Amino acid sequence: MTLRIAVIPGDGIGPEVTRAAMQVLEAAAERLGVDVHLDWYDYGADKYLREGVTLPPEDLERLKTYSAIFLGALGDPRVPDMKHAADILFGIRFGLDLYANVRPVRLLDPRLCPLKGVERLDFVILRENTEGLYAGMGGIFKKGTPDEVAIQEDINTRKGVERIIRYAFEYARARGYRSVCMSDKSNALRYSGDLWQRTFWTVAAEYPDIQAWHLYIDALAMQMVKRPQQFEVIVTNNMFGDIISDLGAQLQGGLGMAPSGNIHPGRVSMFEPVHGSAPKYAGQNVANPMAAVLTAGMMMESLGFPEVYRAIEAAVVAALRAGVVTRDLAEVLGVSPWGTREVGAWLAEHVRQVGGSRVSGTGSQ
Ligand code: IPM
Ligand code: MN
């Protein structure tokens, strides 16, 4: 069986970190005897500015034929309204109904955590990914006048809330976590909070082996700084999940270390680092490719190859230990910085061992 991956490097640092990630992926797949075929797609700001094309509906259909999609990053100062990024990113998330945004927080080297005395972190933020404030419902009334009104609706459906909560309990069970913490703002947001509360405790009753507990989102943010070790699985809505996943990223060494997956079990899913396109660092060979590299590992794990993830994560751990890091981490570790390409090549070399190449591909890069 050949895994077919659609690769969208995107904008800014996206292409650099994606090249490194795919290099490491190819090395790991080769070593472990997994057939991987990469098709590269040039969706992003350049294509949008050149051709006026973001992600046409027929292209979304084509993406559905892959085993998985890998996305580097989107966002470009030449497109201030982020029109192309919204079309492509939300086009894929919503268009493929990828309702679970999975954002693990694993501390791969204790020196990377900015908090004192934290040696180990292993939890996951599960962010509802298809509704809430991101549903795009609302509008502007009397635009540009002194009476202007902007409304952004927070959509919470029973089905949408239930499936992400159920995903959280299944995730906990499958990975040996013993607790799920649901976080909302039900003390202030009565209607959405009511639906999340009722759904959470109803679903929780079906999983007596998993401890269910709750924190308001503001208290959760505080606890993530006070004692992040207490968390295992956190489940929350789209907006809160967005915010706390940047906090989670920093706990594990910054956005350069945070991978994520946009998942609908059983369907083609999309994997992207949590970080954005960081335009000011683009093309300088300074971006940290580790988030993208770990994201490629997550993709392989979700495709049924956990050994590929383990090989990739072990390479990242070894690189951190050896001080093979880009400048965002070099200062923290007290070493001199390596370039994006050089870190990628080192990681690929680390995972590469005996075994013939079974990796093929088309397109540029
Ligand atoms: C993320 C990003 C996106 C989001 C932006 C780029 C729209 O911040 O994936 O966390 O808000 O979902
Ligand atoms: Mn975000």
Side-chain angles (χ1 to χ4, degrees):
M1 185 193 61
T2 301
L3 297 177
R4 295 174 60 251
I5 311 294
V7 184
I8 306 171
D11 307 326
I13 61 168
E16 294 163 73
V17 299
T18 300
R19 263 194 302 275
M22 293 304 111
Q23 190 185 359
V24 178
L25 172 60
E26 289 180 334
E30 182 181 322
R31 168 183 144 193
L32 294 163
V34 182
D35 287 335
V36 176
H37 175 96
L38 308 178
D39 283 339
W40 298 74
Y41 289 93
D42 63 352
Y43 307 118
D46 282 342
K47 188 182 183 73
Y48 176 55
L49 293 168
R50 204 173 54 230
E51 302 166 26
V53 170
T54 57
L55 181 65
E58 59 277 17
D59 291 33
L60 184 65
E61 287 306 309
R62 171 136 41 100
L63 291 178
K64 287 185 188 166
T65 67
Y66 283 90
S67 310
I69 303 161
F70 183 96
L71 176 71
L74 291 167
D76 187 298
R78 294 169 299 165
V79 189
D81 64 0
M82 294 273 287
K83 154 88 178 139
H84 72 296
D87 276 13
I88 299 166
L89 184 63
F90 296 145
I92 294 173
R93 285 183 186 171
F94 297 144
L96 303 184
D97 198 29
L98 304 178
Y99 67 86
N101 195 325
V102 179
R103 300 187 153 184
V105 179
R106 285 167 64 77
L107 184 58
L108 298 184
D109 188 309
R111 293 173 295 169
L112 299 186
C113 186
L115 302 179
K116 286 193 292 275
V118 176
E119 290 294 317
R120 187 174 175 276
L121 289 176
D122 178 8
F123 66 93
V124 65
I125 296 164
L126 300 177
R127 165 186 178 190
E128 200 294 320
N129 210 30
T130 53
E131 45 186 53
L133 282 164
Y134 280 67
M137 289 187 64
I140 298 187
F141 182 50
K142 299 189 177 173
K143 188 168 183 167
T145 76
D147 298 325
E148 183 162 351
V149 179
I151 292 179
Q152 194 81 42
E153 302 276 14
D154 182 14
I155 308 300
N156 296 267
T157 69
R158 171 72 199 207
K159 177 180 157 192
V161 173
E162 183 167 335
R163 66 183 181 175
I164 188 65
I165 287 173
R166 198 171 287 287
Y167 187 90
F169 283 99
E170 291 292 334
Y171 189 96
R173 235 183 217 173
R175 287 161 190 264
Y177 291 116
R178 286 152 311 168
S179 66
V180 172
C181 178
M182 188 275 276
S183 192
D184 62 15
K185 191 61 191 167
S186 50
N187 51 349
L189 309 179
R190 277 179 55 197
Y191 309 119
S192 57
D194 188 70
L195 179 60
W196 276 79
Q197 285 287 333
R198 275 184 291 115
T199 308
F200 180 64
W201 295 111
T202 306
V203 174
E206 294 175 36
Y207 297 84
D209 50 320
I210 308 288
Q211 185 209 342
W213 62 299
H214 170 262
L215 282 175
Y216 297 125
I217 191 69
D218 48 351
L220 178 96
M222 184 264 283
Q223 288 294 339
M224 276 179 72
V225 176
K226 188 176 180 192
R227 204 164 62 81
Q229 305 92 323
Q230 69 189 293
F231 293 110
E232 295 187 300
V233 176
I234 296 172
V235 61
T236 190
N237 72 20
N238 208 338
M239 184 79 259
F240 298 152
D242 177 50
I243 296 166
I244 64 166
S245 57
D246 273 32
L247 176 48
Q250 195 58 44
L251 294 177
Q252 60 188 318
L255 283 163
M257 294 303 296
S260 88
N262 300 263
I263 293 172
H264 186 131
R267 297 206 196 163
V268 50
S269 295
M270 184 266 278
F271 296 80
E272 50 166 346
V274 176
H275 66 65
S277 61
K280 69 178 178 200
Y281 299 126
Q284 297 173 41
N285 199 36
V286 297
N288 185 349
M290 288 176 173
V293 167
L294 292 165
T295 297
M298 264 184 88
M299 175 173 76
M300 295 302 287
E301 183 182 42
S302 103
L303 291 171
F305 299 93
E307 69 278 19
V308 176
Y309 177 77
R310 283 195 296 271
I312 289 176
E313 191 187 74
V316 172
V317 169
L320 293 167
R321 203 164 289 155
V324 179
V325 295
T326 43
R327 80 177 184 201
D328 52 324
L329 300 183
E331 209 169 308
V332 182
L333 299 185
V335 297
S336 39
W338 290 52
T340 309
R341 275 193 300 277
E342 291 69 30
V343 172
W346 193 99
L347 293 169
E349 195 48 46
H350 191 279
V351 297
R352 184 177 295 114
Q353 286 180 5
V354 285
S357 174
R358 296 207 239 160
V359 179
S360 54
T362 63
S364 61
Q365 309 284 335

